[in-house]
Amino acid sequence: MTRRIAPFAAVVVAALIAPAAAAAHVTVQPTSAPAGAETVLTVRVPNERDDASTVKLDVRLPPGFVSAAWESTPGWSVRAVKQKLSKPIQTDDGPIDEQISEVVWTASSKSTGIQPGEFRDFPLSVLIPGKAGQTLTFKALQTYSNGSVVRWIGAPGSDEPAPQVKLTNASATTGATGSSSSGSGGQSQSAPAPAPAAAADNDSNGLSIVALVLGALGLLIGIAAFVLARRGAGTAAR
């Protein structure tokens, strides 16, 4: 009986551990973003080792990212690797002839790295390139203090998948979040919205006044009944 239980217990433990290990991937959040929008993409890096800390992260950006800004992270340095474009991109501020191909974060020491059981977020403020319907792939290399490197460059569903972001339509995303575009049409449609709330407040105030009046009447009736009862008792006593 004991021999049968041991393998079964091992299977159960493995089944419980597997989802946790599978979820501990380097990811880019959010997993969808509107094409052409300025937004913040956050690279989340969990530490999957029990005996080493993460000391370096190298993220390869897909083509089209012409600029990027990042937050200062204590104990970490960051550098951007730029690449010349074969064809300059024309913008309102003039032509742009280079793009950012990589962003590399490096810990100053093992102690400032991502420790076992921890994770760290590395946000990037960027202008999303591409068109709605496309998927951007961010290949990442995670280096540990013991020298091992995990290459997050695989296809979705693989053991080491590359983070991906799906591009959505900007107007559809705006509508989904409830934001309204500028213009008299959008404003005229959204202006009457507070009316039901105001009506509800008026009804509530009216009900409160009625309740107070009824309460006061009830109190007066109670006092009158008490006085009459006392008088009746006094008369009976005489």
Side-chain angles (χ1 to χ4, degrees), residues 96-119:
I96 297 177
D97 61 355
E98 61 183 11
Q99 65 181 357
I100 298 178
S101 60
E102 297 178 46
V103 179
V104 183
W105 289 269
T106 306
S108 58
S109 64
K110 179 180 178 180
S111 60
T112 61
I114 308 172
Q115 303 301 313
E118 296 181 350
F119 73 90

Side-chain angles (χ1 to χ4, degrees), residues 41-233:
L41 297 178
T42 300
V43 184
R44 174 160 293 182
V45 184
N47 189 23
E48 296 182 310
R49 298 287 190 270
D50 295 331
D51 57 351
S53 59
T54 298
V55 294
K56 184 179 180 181
L57 176 69
D58 185 345
V59 178
R60 314 288 173 87
L61 303 184
F65 284 87
V66 295
S67 64
W70 48 83
E71 290 183 347
S72 176
T73 304
W76 290 73
S77 61
V78 58
R79 65 183 179 91
V81 178
K82 297 183 178 181
Q83 183 182 54
K84 284 289 184 180
L85 293 172
S86 57
K87 182 180 180 180
I89 300 175
Q90 298 298 327
T91 67
D92 294 338
D93 298 328
I96 297 177
D97 61 355
E98 61 183 11
Q99 65 181 357
I100 298 178
S101 60
E102 297 178 46
V103 179
V104 183
W105 289 269
T106 306
S108 58
S109 64
K110 179 180 178 180
S111 60
T112 61
I114 308 172
Q115 303 301 313
E118 296 181 350
F119 73 90
R120 189 179 297 274
D121 288 340
F122 297 93
L124 283 174
S125 177
V126 296
L127 177 65
I128 301 294
K131 299 179 180 180
Q134 294 180 336
T135 298
L136 302 181
T137 300
F138 298 79
K139 296 182 178 181
L141 304 181
Q142 182 179 8
T143 302
Y144 287 89
S145 56
N146 60 6
S148 63
V149 178
V150 180
R151 302 170 62 84
W152 302 101
I153 61 175
S158 63
D159 292 338
E160 298 174 357
Q164 291 187 334
V165 175
K166 295 182 179 180
L167 301 187
T168 61
N169 187 284
S171 59
T173 303
T174 301
T177 57
S179 302
S180 61
S181 58
S182 61
S184 58
Q187 294 176 355
S188 63
Q189 293 176 359
S190 59
D201 290 340
N202 292 335
D203 292 342
S204 177
N205 292 335
L207 292 174
S208 298
I209 294 173
V210 171
L212 289 174
V213 172
L214 292 176
L217 289 175
L219 179 61
L220 291 175
I221 292 172
I223 293 174
F226 178 74
V227 172
L228 290 175
R230 290 290 300 273
R231 288 180 178 180

